[in-house]
Amino acid sequence: MEAEEVSKKWEGRVSAKVRGPRAEQVWTLLQDFFNFHNYFPSLATCHGIQGISGEPGCVRYCSGSSIRSSDGHSGSWSQERLVAVDAKQRSFSYEISESNIGFKSYVATMKVVDIDEEEEGELKGLCVIEWSFEVEAVEGWELDDLVSMYQAGLVCMARRIEDLLGS
């Protein structure tokens, strides 16, 4: 009997605070699945190639230069399909269906959560964007490097959203 190789799954979760805007304001931006490049710093482009933005089953094409492709080039691309949307919980899940990055069986969820934080005795409005993912281990990568890259990108994304919403 031959031994079967079991793919190792990586799981990760990152989050970033967005000061000022409430979760509903941030959700309004993020639920537009085809415009992720407006907020995420490493994307040069993101546009719809199938379906209606924000509706499960729609597909977006994303490309950028900060993630190296699996063939060693600096440019990367992916096609991502929106799997589920929960407007009440302000979350959506998507999967990468094709890419040159080397991701296999990639599924992620983004969620926007309202929180209140006390600052100098006064409650300040803010929210948190949470991004969790599961992917088969990627040859040549380390999980910590992927998590660090996502964390840095999400923090930049939170700052862009604050600027856009006038916080």
Side-chain angles (χ1 to χ4, degrees):
M1 180 187 233
E2 290 183 33
E4 211 175 295
E5 186 177 322
V6 178
S7 296
K8 181 180 176 187
K9 289 277 188 176
W10 286 346
E11 293 182 19
R13 182 179 169 276
V14 297
S15 63
K17 290 181 181 179
V18 182
R19 297 199 175 276
R22 302 303 291 176
E24 191 58 42
Q25 293 172 285
V26 175
W27 172 247
T28 298
L29 298 177
L30 294 185
Q31 70 181 348
D32 185 352
F33 193 65
F34 295 163
N35 282 311
F36 197 53
H37 65 293
N38 289 328
Y39 320 112
F40 199 72
S42 66
L43 291 181
T45 188
C46 176
H47 61 271
I49 58 174
Q50 181 180 328
I52 298 170
S53 184
E55 291 188 9
C58 71
V59 178
R60 67 184 178 192
Y61 172 85
C62 299
S63 67
S65 61
S66 69
I67 300 175
R68 75 180 189 297
S69 65
S70 57
D71 61 8
H73 293 96
S74 61
S76 60
W77 62 268
S78 63
Q79 285 187 15
E80 302 173 353
R81 185 175 71 86
L82 187 61
V83 176
V85 176
D86 185 339
K88 189 173 184 175
Q89 294 294 316
R90 291 183 294 267
S91 70
F92 65 84
S93 298
Y94 67 98
E95 65 184 5
I96 293 180
S97 54
E98 294 181 49
S99 79
N100 71 339
I101 305 167
F103 289 166
K104 294 181 181 141
S105 300
Y106 177 99
V107 178
T109 299
M110 294 195 91
K111 185 174 185 173
V112 184
V113 180
D114 258 327
I115 61 173
D116 288 314
E117 186 173 87
E118 195 168 312
E119 194 173 286
E120 298 175 10
E122 187 177 322
L123 280 179
K124 299 289 183 183
L126 59 109
C127 64
V128 172
I129 302 172
E130 299 174 349
W131 189 2
S132 58
F133 67 89
E134 183 178 291
V135 63
E136 280 186 29
V138 182
E139 188 176 332
W141 288 59
E142 295 293 328
L143 175 58
D144 289 344
D145 295 333
L146 185 58
V147 169
S148 293
M149 180 185 72
Y150 277 12
Q151 182 65 51
L154 191 57
V155 167
C156 285
M157 184 172 133
R159 298 302 78 83
R160 285 184 176 181
I161 290 171
E162 288 173 352
D163 290 345
L164 184 65
L165 293 175
S167 301

